[in-house]
Amino acid sequence: MKKIMLVDDEILIRESIRECVNWEKEGFIYCGDASDGELALPLIEQQLPDILITDIKMPFMDGLELSAVVRQRLPQIKIIILSGHDDFQYAQSALRLGVEDYCLKPVSSADLVQLLHAASHRIDEEQRLKRTYAYTPEKLFADLCGGLIGTAAAIEAADQLDLQLTTPYYAVAILSLAPSDPRKLHLSQAAYQAAGQLLADQLKELPNSFVYKRSRTESVLILKGSQPELISAKLETLAAILQRKMKTAVGCELSLSLGSVQERLQSVHVSYLEAEEDKMWKKLSKQNKAKLWEVSFDPSSDLVLLDRNRLIDFLKLGSSKEAPGFIRQFAAELNGMNWDSMYAYYLINDITLELVRTAKQSFQTGGNRAELMKELQQQIRSISNFEESIDYLNTLLERLWRWRAEGSDKYGELIDKVKQQIREHYDDDQLSLYEISKKIGVSSSHLSKIFSQETGQTMTEYLTTTRIGKAKELLKTTRSKTFEIAFQVGYNDQHYFSNLFKKVTGLTPTEYRKQGLVENKAGLVGEGEDRL
């Protein structure tokens, strides 16, 4: 049975289509509807309908914009355009986007069912042709991590393998095995087998996850879920359990390298690349610590104990004004150290690796760690005394705080521009996500995602709140009729405006105006009583 979703800003049209077709009898599932393209997008990504029916002219994100986004993200979905506008240009645009059919309103239930069956037959034929080759789970997961398969193809392959792949959030971890004894380069064959079996047994007990072996010593874990904080917590708990069991049971050390939690299936590749980078930095840090331990036995070395956690906390919360005093106090133990010894180099290098890695993870910056480390290691080699080490650490903090500033200010200006556009043009019934994104100079899909992430509401919700707020003001302060107020706040359909107003406020515009008049009279009476 194919899943059907409807997008139309006219509530009567949605109700009519929803009620006039016996969906189950016709072999379909009606999986939901929405009043505009932006509200529809998360529903489409969640429900993954087989066929999307959408109106063309809708507020904010119209049907053509929605179709373009859906064709890009989920090209397997068949799109049927409905429109009351007999305009050849609309038809041309729709056909260029690759929609399945284009028809004019009003459309009868019989005609609509015929269109749906035709689209359904084409879906069946495409699936039959694609079944000529099959994915294995390992190849599917490897291709997802490698960015070698698109969303639509991945979902289809997962369906064929009976795997539930789609979810709101994903994260990738790379699990690497190594001997606990740093003097041993490799584990024995028996130890690898025992460690591999223990790892497999533990991962079987982890729900909502997929795993594949990348090599004899490495496995890749894809974890999915509906709450990002729970995914991170599960990975941290898993790491602690596995590391303890591996060391106790088989004398093996397990390293868990993590990528960030991502929202889209296509971004599994991003999380995987971050896990790879995390693995590389852990390896560098481990090598540096091993060297630090080795050179600490040099009689010329002056062992220094520094509170790393205190420095990391200062990186996250400190300021430029406090830095000179803090660094001088923190690094006081470095005074008098032999700066000609390799111990000094590896100590400062180790602190640097820890700070850069923490900054990258905490500030979610796009800064290039590898390039920065090359530059910093050159500076570390030139340190020859205590004062130069103090200058270096101060400079390092300033560099990393620039990352922090970039992260916190990244989208503030962008969001302010969007809100300003909406406040200035809320009365324009043609105001759309596409128009705003064009004026601001970013893609509509990116803008929609960022606005939702940063404000906790969609742009449509913010526009609606702005328009209804202005309508409430006009209902209280003017004698304008409801249809006039609807037009003044950007709605050319009085019925749609009234329904939306009641949905938001719990009252019709007329009821809201009467309530305001009663409150005003009560206020005047109260003032008169006070005067008496």
Side-chain angles (χ1 to χ4, degrees):
M1 295 179 74
K2 307 297 189 301
K3 293 164 71 175
I4 311 297
M5 182 170 288
L6 171 65
V7 186
D8 196 301
D9 63 329
E10 295 183 54
I11 190 170
L12 293 178
I13 296 291
R14 297 201 304 275
E15 290 175 350
S16 174
I17 290 178
R18 185 168 61 233
E19 302 299 329
C20 75
V21 176
N22 188 334
W23 298 100
E24 188 172 351
K25 180 183 175 183
E26 296 295 340
F28 299 107
I29 299 170
Y30 189 92
C31 65
D33 53 51
S35 59
D36 68 67
E38 187 181 0
L39 290 178
L41 270 178
L43 292 177
I44 292 169
E45 292 177 342
Q46 179 184 359
Q47 295 290 336
L48 294 174
D50 299 286
I51 302 172
L52 173 66
I53 307 168
T54 178
D55 186 18
I56 280 190
K57 193 172 183 184
M58 297 181 292
F60 224 67
M61 178 187 273
D62 64 30
L64 294 180
E65 292 171 334
L66 174 62
S67 297
V69 174
V70 171
R71 290 293 298 166
Q72 182 182 14
R73 295 185 188 174
L74 300 165
Q76 82 279 10
I77 295 177
K78 301 298 180 188
I79 302 171
I80 296 175
I81 291 282
L82 298 179
S83 177
H85 303 274
D86 189 3
D87 188 324
F88 183 63
Q89 285 185 335
Y90 280 121
Q92 280 186 315
S93 299
L95 292 171
R96 280 197 298 269
L97 289 171
V99 302
E100 200 66 15
D101 254 309
Y102 178 99
C103 60
L104 298 176
K105 295 178 183 177
V107 59
S108 69
S109 59
D111 288 340
L112 181 60
V113 168
Q114 186 177 354
L115 288 173
L116 292 173
H117 279 301
S120 178
H121 290 322
R122 282 190 282 272
I123 292 172
D124 291 340
E125 181 61 16
E126 288 173 4
Q127 290 179 346
R128 185 188 66 79
L129 292 173
K130 288 180 179 178
R131 287 192 193 101
T132 54
Y133 67 93
Y135 262 93
T136 63
E138 292 74 18
K139 177 171 171 52
L140 172 59
F141 303 145
D143 281 0
L144 263 176
C145 289
L148 301 175
I149 185 171
T151 300
I155 292 170
E156 183 178 350
D159 288 342
Q160 292 175 11
L161 294 166
D162 199 25
L163 297 171
Q164 182 56 45
L165 194 60
T166 55
T167 190
Y169 298 98
Y170 304 86
V172 175
I174 298 173
L175 300 94
S176 308
L177 298 171
S180 295
D181 187 343
R183 292 171 296 180
K184 294 182 179 180
L185 296 178
H186 303 289
L187 286 169
S188 67
Q189 182 64 30
Y192 274 128
Q193 289 177 347
Q197 187 59 53
L198 178 60
L199 183 60
D201 291 342
Q202 290 294 317
L203 293 178
K204 280 179 184 176
E205 299 176 10
L206 188 66
N208 295 320
S209 64
F210 306 109
V211 65
Y212 73 95
K213 289 198 72 172
R214 191 167 68 169
S215 68
R216 190 173 66 155
T217 60
E218 288 187 344
S219 296
V220 178
L221 175 69
I222 303 172
L223 197 62
K224 64 193 188 80
S226 57
Q227 296 177 281
E229 61 277 7
L230 289 183
I231 293 178
S232 300
K234 280 181 183 178
L235 284 172
E236 290 171 6
T237 303
L238 175 71
I241 294 172
L242 285 175
Q243 285 165 348
R244 185 176 65 252
K245 288 189 174 183
M246 287 289 178
K247 199 163 190 176
T248 304
V250 292
C252 175
E253 186 175 299
L254 178 74
S255 173
L256 193 72
S257 305
L258 307 179
S260 64
V261 177
Q262 296 288 329
E263 287 187 52
R264 301 186 186 282
L265 184 61
Q266 202 66 43
S267 297
V268 167
H269 175 53
V270 175
S271 186
Y272 172 78
L273 292 177
E274 290 176 344
E276 278 280 24
E277 187 181 12
D278 188 40
K279 187 187 82 167
M280 179 195 73
W281 280 81
K282 282 181 175 174
K283 183 179 179 181
L284 284 174
S285 181
K286 185 178 179 181
Q287 290 172 343
N288 193 80
K289 280 181 168 56
K291 286 288 186 183
L292 189 59
W293 175 255
E294 183 183 319
V295 298
S296 66
F297 290 101
D298 185 344
S300 65
S301 300
D302 298 308
L303 297 185
V304 174
L305 296 177
L306 298 173
D307 187 350
R308 307 290 184 86
N309 291 332
R310 187 171 163 232
L311 180 60
I312 288 171
D313 288 342
F314 187 74
L315 169 68
K316 294 177 181 177
L317 303 173
S319 66
S320 298
K321 185 178 179 181
E322 301 166 318
F326 173 86
I327 289 297
R328 189 162 289 277
Q329 183 185 29
F330 166 79
E333 290 291 321
L334 298 177
N335 197 6
M337 190 168 67
N338 180 6
W339 292 96
D340 293 327
S341 70
M342 288 304 295
Y343 177 81
Y345 168 79
Y346 286 117
L347 177 64
I348 300 298
N349 194 56
D350 193 49
I351 292 172
T352 301
L353 281 165
E354 209 160 345
L355 287 178
V356 173
R357 183 164 173 262
T358 300
K360 182 76 173 180
Q361 291 176 339
S362 301
F363 306 150
Q364 295 296 306
T365 176
N368 189 319
R369 286 198 294 183
E371 289 298 320
L372 178 60
M373 277 307 301
K374 287 180 184 177
E375 179 184 338
L376 293 174
Q377 284 174 338
Q378 290 294 328
Q379 294 178 21
I380 294 169
R381 289 188 181 94
S382 67
I383 297 174
S384 60
N385 57 57
F386 173 67
E387 289 300 327
E388 287 179 0
S389 72
I390 293 294
D391 291 342
Y392 169 80
L393 290 173
N394 274 303
T395 302
L396 174 60
L397 284 176
E398 291 296 336
R399 291 286 297 271
L400 300 182
W401 280 337
R402 283 205 289 272
W403 283 2
R404 184 175 66 182
E406 287 170 10
S408 61
D409 297 338
K410 193 172 184 180
Y411 299 118
E413 186 179 351
L414 182 67
I415 299 302
D416 288 342
K417 286 181 179 179
V418 172
K419 289 182 175 180
Q420 183 180 355
Q421 285 292 321
I422 290 175
R423 287 194 297 268
E424 292 177 355
H425 304 289
Y426 68 87
D427 57 337
D428 181 1
D429 68 320
Q430 299 297 315
L431 186 64
S432 69
L433 172 64
Y434 173 74
E435 287 299 324
I436 292 176
S437 63
K438 189 166 67 172
K439 286 182 180 178
I440 293 176
V442 296
S443 74
S444 55
S445 58
H446 178 68
L447 185 60
S448 176
K449 175 184 174 182
I450 294 305
F451 192 91
S452 298
Q453 283 180 346
E454 297 297 310
T455 66
Q457 61 181 162
T458 66
M459 290 172 68
T460 299
E461 288 169 340
Y462 184 80
L463 174 63
T464 300
T465 301
T466 303
R467 284 174 166 172
I468 296 301
K470 187 62 178 177
K472 288 162 70 175
E473 180 185 329
L474 293 172
L475 284 166
K476 282 188 173 183
T477 59
T478 72
R479 294 178 177 271
S480 300
K481 295 179 180 178
T482 301
F483 77 88
E484 293 173 328
I485 290 176
F487 181 76
Q488 289 172 41
V489 299
Y491 298 107
N492 56 15
D493 184 330
Q494 178 187 344
H495 181 69
Y496 176 74
F497 165 70
S498 297
N499 284 334
L500 185 62
F501 190 94
K502 185 171 184 179
K503 182 179 177 182
V504 172
T505 66
L507 300 170
T508 66
T510 303
E511 291 169 343
Y512 184 84
R513 172 172 270 165
K514 286 179 180 177
Q515 185 186 69
L517 291 172
V518 169
E519 289 173 354
N520 287 339
K521 287 179 181 178
L524 290 172
V525 170
E527 288 176 11
E529 290 172 349
D530 289 342
R531 285 194 294 272
L532 290 172

